[in-house]
Amino acid sequence: MKNNNNEAMKNYFDSMLRDDQTAEVPVSKETEFAEPAHVDISTLPKNLVFSETDVAVEKATQQNQQAEQEEWQNLQVEDNFQVLFFELNQVTFAIPLTDLGGIYQLNDSLNFLMGKPAWFRGVMSHNERLYNIVDTATWLQLGKNAQDLQYTHFILLGSTAWGLSCEKLLGTESLNKDQIRWRDKKGSRPWLAGMVKQKMCALIHAEELVKLLSQGMDIRS
C-alpha cells in the first residue's frame, strides 16, 4: 500500500512539474469548506497586510501586474542547503530554511475575515505584529475540509507577514542540489521550484508563493 501511495505522489508531482492543469492529489473525497465566522472588521487594527481590496478587482489587474514583474527565476541555493519538511493531509512539502522567517504556534488570537478567499484562514497577532495565515491545504487543493485538519503551527515566509498553516513539522534535513528535480521555466505554478526526488515531495518557491498570495490568487490562477 505504501509503494502504491508513493507512486501516486510521484505521478502527482510529475504532472505538476509538466504544468498539467488536471493534476489532482490522490485523496479520497473532497468536501466543501465551511463559511468563516463573522467578524466586525471595524474592530480590527487598520494596518492589516492583506488588502481589503476586493479580490475580483485584484484579478482584473493581474495581467498588468504580471507584465511589470521581472522574468521568473528559480531558487538560488548553495550546492548543499537545508530544508524544513512539513505535512498536510499526509502529503509532504519542503521549503528552504533560508526562506523561513520563523515557526510559531497557532493560537486563539486568529481572527476570521468575511469576503476573503476560502484559503485565507485569518489574521493572527503575535509579538505585536499581524500575520496573514493561509489555510495551506485549501490553497493547495488537497481535497480535505480544513476543519478536519489539526493545524498546530504556521510557517512564516521570509520577512513577510504571510504564514502557512501546517499539521506536522517533520524536521530539517540537508539536501544537495542534485537531489532536486528542478523546474526550468515559470509555467502555471511559479511557486513550485521542483521535486525532492527521494522524498517525492514539492519544493516550495517562497518568493513566488508570496506574490500569488498577495494578489489573492490560488494554486490554479
Side-chain angles (χ1 to χ4, degrees), residues 38-46 48 52 112-116:
H38 175 71
V39 171
D40 184 357
I41 297 179
S42 65
T43 64
L44 297 177
K46 301 299 183 182
L48 297 182
E52 292 298 327
F112 296 97
L113 299 179
M114 295 293 290
K116 298 303 178 187

Side-chain angles (χ1 to χ4, degrees), residues 38-206:
H38 175 71
V39 171
D40 184 357
I41 297 179
S42 65
T43 64
L44 297 177
K46 301 299 183 182
N47 58 336
L48 297 182
V49 176
F50 190 81
S51 173
E52 292 298 327
T53 304
D54 188 84
V55 173
V57 176
E58 293 180 359
K59 287 190 175 183
T61 60
Q62 172 189 341
Q63 292 184 345
N64 292 334
Q65 293 173 338
Q66 288 180 336
E68 297 174 357
Q69 290 178 0
E70 296 181 359
E71 184 178 354
W72 182 84
Q73 290 186 341
N74 210 334
L75 291 174
Q76 302 298 311
V77 296
E78 301 291 337
D79 288 342
N80 293 286
F81 63 103
Q82 287 194 313
V83 299
L84 170 71
F85 289 102
F86 64 96
E87 184 178 294
L88 289 161
N89 192 23
Q90 300 182 337
V91 180
T92 303
F93 295 87
I95 185 169
L97 292 189
T98 53
D99 289 339
L100 295 185
I103 301 172
Y104 304 102
Q105 288 187 331
L106 287 170
N107 58 46
D108 294 337
S109 70
L110 184 67
N111 290 307
F112 296 97
L113 299 179
M114 295 293 290
K116 298 303 178 187
W119 51 260
F120 185 70
R121 192 168 176 83
V123 177
M124 197 184 87
S125 175
H126 182 79
N127 289 340
E128 300 183 349
R129 286 197 61 188
L130 294 173
Y131 296 102
N132 301 310
I133 307 302
V134 177
D135 189 324
T136 318
T138 306
W139 195 89
L140 290 166
Q141 298 185 4
L142 296 184
K144 190 173 180 69
N145 193 310
Q147 290 187 341
D148 293 339
L149 300 180
Q150 299 299 314
Y151 289 128
T152 59
H153 295 78
F154 70 91
I155 301 168
L156 191 62
L157 298 177
S159 60
T160 74
W162 286 102
L164 302 181
S165 55
C166 66
E167 281 188 286
K168 298 179 182 178
L169 299 172
L170 303 181
T172 61
E173 186 174 326
S174 180
L175 297 177
N176 185 277
K177 292 175 66 174
D178 293 337
Q179 294 176 269
I180 310 297
R181 180 183 171 188
W182 294 99
R183 191 186 190 93
D184 58 3
K185 60 182 179 180
K186 179 178 181 178
S188 62
R189 296 183 176 90
W191 63 272
L192 180 62
M195 184 180 75
V196 183
K197 299 175 185 177
Q198 186 175 6
K199 300 284 187 179
M200 287 179 292
C201 71
L203 179 65
I204 293 175
H205 194 319

Side-chain angles (χ1 to χ4, degrees), residues 207-221:
E207 181 180 354
E208 294 295 330
L209 178 55
V210 167
K211 290 179 183 178
L212 295 175
L213 295 173
S214 298
Q215 295 173 24
M217 298 167 64
D218 60 29
I219 188 175
R220 298 191 187 279
S221 296

